[in-house]
C-alpha cells in the first residue's frame, strides 16, 4: 500500500482517484481537512476497501509513526501543504507550520521507521515530495525556462516555505540516505480545484454574475498543466525516478493571465450563454496587484521526458474545455465548498482598497 498526505485537496484527490482507477495498490490517505481539504472529492471511493481515510496532521509525529508501523507503505507521497500564495501574504504562519515544520516532522517519522527496515522493503521504499516551480522565483520575458539546475529564489512566503521543505527533503537524502524524489510542477487546473485559485475563481464568479478580478496588468505568465497529467507524471517518477533527483513537470503551455481569463469566458459564452446576452468577459475588472507578484514562470520539462518518457497528454484546449464542463456539471460541489470561511476570505481579500 501507499501513504498519501493531503489526498483530500485538489491535486491529492485527483491523484488518489486516478491511482485507484488505474489499479494501484490500496491508499492510506492522511489529511488535516483544512478549508482546502474536502472529503467529497473522494466520494467515488465511499465503501471502497482500497481507500482508508485518516483525519490528521502530517506534523503529528505519533500519528504518522503509528500509520507507518501499521500499514508498512512501500511509498509515501507528500501532497499536504498550504498552497495559496495570496493567503500566505495575508497570514504566513500556517505555511511555516505545515510546509516547513510539518514536512520536517513527517521526514523525522519516516526516517525513524525506515531506519528499522531491512532488505527489500528498505530498498524499495520511496518518499516522493510534491513541490512547485515557484521555488525558482520569477523569469524575465526572454529568459530560458526553469531547469532542475535553476537557482532557488522564492519570492512569497508560500514559495519560501515550499523551498524550505524541498531543502529538507534533499538533506534527508544526502545525510541519512532516505530514498527521496521531488517533483517541481507548474500551475495545475482541472476538477476539484478550490475556487480561490485563478481558473476556478473566474468560472465561479462569471456564472454568479460577479466581477472577474485580474491582478495588475494581467500580463503575468504561468505555465498551465491539466491535473491528470501532473498525476501521471508523479506515478512515473514514483515508478522510475532516480533517488535524490528532482524532476520539473510542466505543460509547455505558457500563457498570460488575461488570455486564460478570456479563454474561460469564451468557453462559458459557448457552453452556458449569459442570461440577457453579452459576454462573460464584460465582467472582467483589473484590481490591485498581488504584492511581490512573480512576473513569469516557465518549465523546461525535458529531463522527465528524456529520462522517464513522460509528456502531457492534454493540450490546453482539451484540458480547459473539460475543466469548464466539469464546473458546469458540478455546481453543487462549488456551492458546498463555499462555506462561511471561504466567504470571509473573499470578502477580506477582494475588499476595495
Ligand atoms: P490544496 O490546497 O488544494 O490541498 C492541500 C491539502 O493538504 C488539503 O486537502 C489540506 O487539507 C491538506 N493539508 C494541509 N495542511 C495539512 C497538514 N498539516 N496535514 C495534513 N494535511 C494537510 O493544494 P493542491 O493545489 O492540491 O497542492 C498539493 C501539493 O502540490 C502542494 O504541496 C502544492 O504546493 C503542490 N503544487 C500545487 C500546484 C497547483 O497548481 N495547485 C502546482 C505545483 C505544486
Ligand atoms: O506555479 C505553481 C503554483 O501555482 C502552485 O505552487 C500554487 O500552489 C498554486 O496556487 C499556483 O500559484 P499561483 O499564484 O500561480 O496561482 P493562482 O491561481 O493564485 O494565480 C495564478 C495567476 O493569476 C497569478 O499570476 C495571480 C493571478 N490571479 C489570481 C487570482 C486568484 C489574478 O489575476 N486574480 C485572482 O483573483
Amino acid at each position: 500500500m501507499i501513504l498519501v498526505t493531503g489526498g483530500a485537496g485538489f491535486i491529492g484527490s485527483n491523484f488518489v482517484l486516478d491511482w485507484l482507477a488505474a489499479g494501484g495498490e490500496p491508499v492510506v490517505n492522511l489529511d488535516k481537512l483544512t478549508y482546502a481539504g474536502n472529503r467529497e472529492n473522494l466520494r467515488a471511493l465511499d465503501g471502497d476497501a482500497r481507500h482508508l481515510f485518516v483525519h490528521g496532521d502530517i506534523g503529528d509525529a505519533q500519528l504518522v509513526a503509528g500509520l507507518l508501523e501499521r500499514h508498512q507503505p512501500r511509498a509515501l507521497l507528500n501532497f499536504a501543504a498550504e498552497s495559496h500564495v495570496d493567503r500566505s501574504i495575508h497570514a504566513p504562519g500556517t505555511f511555516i507550520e505545515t510546509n516547513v515544520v510539518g514536512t520536517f516532522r513527517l521526514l523525522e517519522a519516516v526516517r525513524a521507521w525506515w531506519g528499522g527496515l531491512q532488505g527489500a522493503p528498505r530498498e524499495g521504499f520511496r518518499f516522493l515530495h510534491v513541490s512547485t516551480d515557484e521555488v525558482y522565483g520569477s523569469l524575465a520575458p526572454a529568459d530560458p525556462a526553469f531547469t532542475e539546475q535553476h537557482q532557488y529564489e522564492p519570492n512569497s512566503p508560500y514559495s519560501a516555505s515550499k523551498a524550505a521543505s524541498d531543502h529538507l527533503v534533499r538533506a534527508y537524502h544526502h545525510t541519512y540516505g532516505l530514498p527521496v524524489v521531488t517533483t517541481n510542477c507548474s500551475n495545475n487546473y482541472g476538477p476539484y480545484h478550490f475556487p480561490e485559485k485563478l481558473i476556478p475563481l473566474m468560472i465561479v464568479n462569471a456564472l454568479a454574475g460577479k466581477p472577474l478580478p485580474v491582478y495588475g496588468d494581467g500580463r503575468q505568465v504561468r505555465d498551465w498543466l491539466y491535473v491528470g497529467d501532473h498525476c501521471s507524471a508523479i506515478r512515473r517518477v514514483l515508478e522510475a525516478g532516480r533517488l535524490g533527483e528532482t524532476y520539473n513537470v510542466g505543460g509547455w503551455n505558457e500563457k498570460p493571465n488575461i488570455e486564460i481569463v478570456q479563454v474561460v469566458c469564451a468557453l462559458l459564452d459557448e457552453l452556458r450563454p449569459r442570461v440577457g446576452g453579452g459576454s462573460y468577459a464584460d465582467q472582467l475588472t483589473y484590481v490591485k496587484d498581488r504584492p511581490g507578484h512573480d512576473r513569469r514562470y516557465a518549465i523546461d520539462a525535458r529531463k522527465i521526458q528524456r529520462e522517464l518518457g513522460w509528456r502531457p497528454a492534454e493540450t490546453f484546449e482539451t484540458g480547459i474545455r473539460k475543466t469548464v464542463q466539469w464546473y458546469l456539471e458540478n455546481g453543487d460541489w462549488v456551492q458546498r465548498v463555499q462555506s462561511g470561511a471561504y466567504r470571509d476570505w473573499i470578502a477580506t481579500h477582494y475588499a476595495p482598497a
Side-chain angles (χ1 to χ4, degrees):
M1 86 146 61
I2 62 167
L3 176 55
V4 167
T5 71
F10 163 47
I11 304 173
S13 62
N14 274 283
F15 179 84
V16 171
L17 292 169
D18 287 5
W19 174 268
L20 291 175
E25 302 109 307
V27 175
V28 176
N29 185 348
L30 171 64
D31 196 295
K32 190 178 174 182
L33 296 180
T34 66
Y35 77 94
N38 184 355
R39 286 205 63 177
E40 258 196 70
N41 300 1
L42 301 157
R43 203 161 49 182
L45 299 175
D46 282 354
D48 190 326
R50 298 172 306 161
H51 179 239
L52 175 66
F53 184 80
V54 179
H55 183 196
D57 195 319
I58 56 166
D60 182 341
Q62 219 181 335
L63 171 67
V64 175
L67 291 176
L68 293 167
E69 211 42 67
R70 198 166 324 126
H71 299 289
Q72 300 288 319
R74 67 121 171 141
L76 186 152
L77 292 91
N78 185 29
F79 292 89
E82 290 292 336
S83 70
H84 190 33
V85 174
D86 292 324
R87 286 186 191 252
S88 84
I89 294 167
H90 284 258
T94 50
F95 288 72
I96 305 305
E97 273 309 317
T98 283
N99 301 359
V100 186
V101 181
T103 305
F104 161 67
R105 295 217 173 106
L106 186 66
L107 282 163
E108 276 292 88
V110 172
R111 178 167 80 91
W113 166 77
W114 177 79
L117 297 179
Q118 285 180 346
R122 182 185 169 91
E123 294 301 310
F125 180 74
R126 295 288 178 273
F127 184 106
L128 191 151
H129 180 60
V130 180
S131 192
T132 169
D133 60 359
E134 300 205 8
V135 295
Y136 296 124
S138 187
L139 293 169
D143 285 347
F146 301 129
T147 66
E148 289 78 1
Q149 277 70 47
H150 200 95
Q151 150 178 342
Y152 270 37
E153 235 169 30
N155 289 319
S156 71
Y158 163 69
S159 54
S161 68
K162 289 297 290 186
S165 69
D166 293 7
H167 290 323
L168 284 169
V169 169
R170 178 191 149 84
Y172 272 62
H173 176 70
H174 189 79
T175 305
Y176 306 114
L178 198 71
V180 309
V181 267
T182 296
T183 53
N184 292 90
C185 187
S186 58
N187 285 60
N188 285 213
Y189 64 97
Y192 303 115
H193 204 181
F194 196 82
E196 64 185 355
K197 308 280 172 67
L198 181 71
I199 289 180
L201 181 80
M202 293 300 151
I203 300 172
V204 167
N205 276 15
L207 293 172
K210 293 182 180 162
L212 308 180
V214 174
Y215 296 162
D217 64 2
R219 305 302 307 170
Q220 303 83 6
V221 171
R222 298 289 182 268
D223 170 65
W224 294 93
L225 180 71
Y226 188 68
V227 65
D229 280 325
H230 188 187
C231 295
S232 73
I234 290 171
R235 290 199 299 274
R236 188 68 194 123
V237 171
L238 181 64
E239 192 172 50
R242 286 188 293 130
L243 295 187
E245 291 289 317
T246 64
Y247 292 90
N248 282 356
V249 183
W252 300 106
N253 179 55
E254 282 184 61
K255 289 201 189 303
N257 294 337
I258 188 66
E259 197 179 317
I260 297 288
V261 178
Q262 279 158 351
V263 168
V264 165
C265 289
L267 278 167
L268 286 171
D269 287 341
E270 175 197 328
L271 298 169
R272 177 78 53 89
R274 217 161 67 143
V275 180
S279 168
Y280 289 101
D282 300 342
Q283 292 163 228
L284 200 152
T285 156
Y286 288 92
V287 299
K288 194 160 76 66
D289 208 351
R290 171 185 280 177
H293 200 169
D294 284 339
R295 198 67 189 164
R296 173 176 168 241
Y297 305 140
I299 279 277
D300 180 334
R302 280 179 298 179
K303 177 177 172 184
I304 188 172
Q305 180 168 345
R306 190 176 60 246
E307 286 191 13
L308 306 180
W310 176 88
R311 53 158 62 217
E314 300 286 345
T315 63
F316 186 67
E317 290 64 36
T318 58
I320 192 68
R321 180 171 284 274
K322 275 192 200 180
T323 303
V324 170
Q325 261 159 351
W326 188 87
Y327 279 87
L328 288 173
E329 286 159 16
N330 289 277
D332 52 342
W333 179 89
V334 172
Q335 259 182 2
R336 282 196 292 269
V337 299
Q338 291 178 320
S339 67
Y342 173 79
R343 284 194 295 273
D344 289 349
W345 161 253
I346 293 291
T348 318
H349 181 63
Y350 294 99

